[in-house]
Amino acid sequence: MHSTRFAVPLQASNMCDKMEKDIFQKNVEILTRQSEEERKMTPFGEACLPSVDALKEIVDIAKTIFFPGFFDQRHTDTEIRAYHIGVNLERLYSLLKKQIALALAFNQEKENEGISARAKQLTLRFIDQMPEIKRLLYTDVEAIFNDDPATGNYSEVIFCYPVVTAMVHYRMAHALLTMGIPVIPRIITEQAHGETGIDIHPGAQIGEYFSIDHGTGVVIGETCIIGNHVTLYQGVTLGAKNFKLESKGDHPADIPRHPIIEDHVTVYSNSTLLGRITIGHDTVIGGNIWVTHSIPPHSRILQSKALDVSFSGGLGI
């Protein structure tokens, strides 16, 4: 059996080429035009946008500073370690200063001659906070280790547990947000969200010795306040109920709308806590619970007992 190939007439081929060219040119022209909505969303163009890749590098460098020897070549000698931390800190300063300047420019209506000096000042303030961020991260590592009998040692927690990555991103982003730096904190926490499945808004306030077991699907809202020695399991949502809008109706009002979790609280998997409620200290909330009211201290909130019904031959399922 012989295959038959049909030749396309040259005139028809040229017509197809012309049609393709016309369609491409027409749509390039249309897509190049800047609509009113686009001007509202990107008022200063791409030149003023922080770099997602640069911010990822900044967080990676910070991890090598917070956990020396874990995410770079191990250096046991104190002087050598100090040298490498110094080099990394200098690199972080250079990168972060530029990104903060871009974020400040992005958030203003026009260029400001003082942006460069302010970015330098803010970057130095952040570096001054890094020892405290490191201290908090090590309390988190200790809490994760104590909560999970499946881990062998602290090093395994640092190397392997996604919550450590999420907390490095969150604690850096929260420090930057409290200094009034726009855009960058959300980019940093969303990078962790994409990598780990743990979604922590940088505006949330989280105390010491914080632990998330497994982690996938955890959501912590912007105005959450979480105390010390709190443990969450996978799928937990600390969210908001329906919220009021500002008069323009285009942005949620800046009101506290997420839960307050006091010290020594454990929330098990797939539970949802909504609204500005308070979960009292030393409380345990079981799995798959829906909570929209405050809970007093030392409470135990559990599901009702399951109804045991027998089925014959699959009937009733």
Side-chain angles (χ1 to χ4, degrees):
M1 187 178 202
H2 299 286
S3 61
T4 304
R5 300 187 63 186
F6 295 94
V8 179
L10 182 61
Q11 185 177 5
S13 176
N14 290 339
M15 288 178 62
C16 289
D17 291 344
K18 184 179 184 305
M19 183 172 61
E20 290 174 356
K21 183 179 179 180
D22 289 345
I23 289 174
F24 271 87
Q25 285 182 339
K26 178 188 73 173
N27 286 285
V28 166
E29 181 184 348
I30 294 171
L31 293 168
T32 302
R33 297 173 196 157
Q34 195 175 41
S35 66
E36 185 62 34
E37 292 77 14
E38 186 179 355
R39 281 193 291 271
K40 185 189 300 184
M41 294 179 186
T42 56
F44 310 114
E46 294 182 1
C48 288
L49 291 173
S51 165
V52 172
D53 291 337
L55 291 171
K56 183 180 186 306
E57 183 179 354
I58 286 166
V59 176
D60 288 342
I61 292 170
K63 285 180 73 173
T64 68
I65 296 171
F66 295 140
F67 303 109
F70 282 91
F71 302 103
D72 57 354
Q73 186 176 353
R74 184 173 290 276
H75 305 289
T76 56
D77 184 274
T78 303
E79 291 185 4
I80 295 176
R81 174 177 289 188
Y83 167 77
H84 283 278
I85 288 177
V87 170
N88 287 332
L89 199 59
E90 186 176 0
R91 174 66 174 160
L92 183 147
Y93 170 74
S94 177
L95 288 170
L96 184 57
K97 181 174 62 173
K98 179 178 179 181
Q99 296 309 308
I100 289 177
L102 289 170
L104 294 174
F106 173 79
N107 205 46
Q108 297 187 19
E109 293 184 3
K110 58 183 178 179
E111 288 293 333
N112 186 330
E113 294 179 359
I115 281 180
S116 179
R118 189 173 172 218
K120 177 180 179 180
Q121 181 185 34
L122 289 169
T123 307
L124 290 172
R125 279 180 57 192
F126 176 78
I127 289 174
D128 254 350
Q129 294 187 43
M130 288 184 70
E132 174 62 9
I133 295 173
K134 177 178 178 178
R135 185 191 72 80
L136 289 168
L137 287 170
Y138 276 83
T139 69
D140 298 334
V141 170
E142 184 176 340
I144 297 162
F145 175 80
N146 291 335
D147 284 344
D148 189 359
T151 185
N153 50 58
Y154 292 106
S155 295
E156 184 179 334
V157 171
I158 295 170
F159 268 129
C160 304
Y161 279 54
V163 63
V164 173
T165 295
M167 291 308 293
V168 169
H169 284 249
Y170 158 74
R171 294 209 182 274
M172 290 180 64
H174 182 71
L176 293 166
L177 186 70
T178 56
M179 292 191 301
I181 297 170
V183 183
I184 288 176
R186 284 306 298 269
I187 294 174
I188 290 175
T189 52
E190 287 304 324
Q191 287 176 339
H193 182 197
E195 183 177 344
T196 68
I198 299 170
D199 183 2
I200 307 177
H201 193 287
Q205 300 176 45
I206 301 178
E208 304 175 347
Y209 298 94
F210 180 66
S211 170
I212 302 177
D213 200 1
H214 303 294
T216 306
V218 166
V219 177
I220 300 175
E222 177 185 14
T223 62
C224 276
I225 300 175
I226 298 176
N228 302 324
H229 298 278
V230 170
T231 299
L232 307 180
Y233 283 76
Q234 69 273 16
V236 167
T237 296
L238 305 181
K241 293 188 286 188
N242 195 16
F243 46 78
K244 297 178 182 178
L245 296 178
E246 294 178 350
S247 56
K248 293 182 180 180
D250 59 358
H251 196 272
D254 186 17
I255 57 174
R257 58 194 184 277
H258 299 96
I260 298 171
I261 312 296
E262 294 184 347
D263 297 348
H264 298 280
V265 169
T266 298
V267 184
Y268 282 96
S269 59
N270 299 314
S271 285
T272 298
L273 286 60
L274 298 181
R276 193 56 162 188
I277 59 177
T278 299
I279 308 301
H281 61 83
D282 298 281
T283 287
V284 174
I285 295 179
N288 298 299
I289 302 292
W290 182 275
V291 181
T292 57
H293 60 278
S294 293
I295 304 295
H298 299 283
S299 297
R300 298 292 182 269
I301 309 299
L302 305 173
Q303 290 191 61
S304 301
K305 290 185 178 179
L307 181 63
D308 186 7
V309 179
S310 298
F311 297 104
S312 176
L315 298 175
I317 297 178

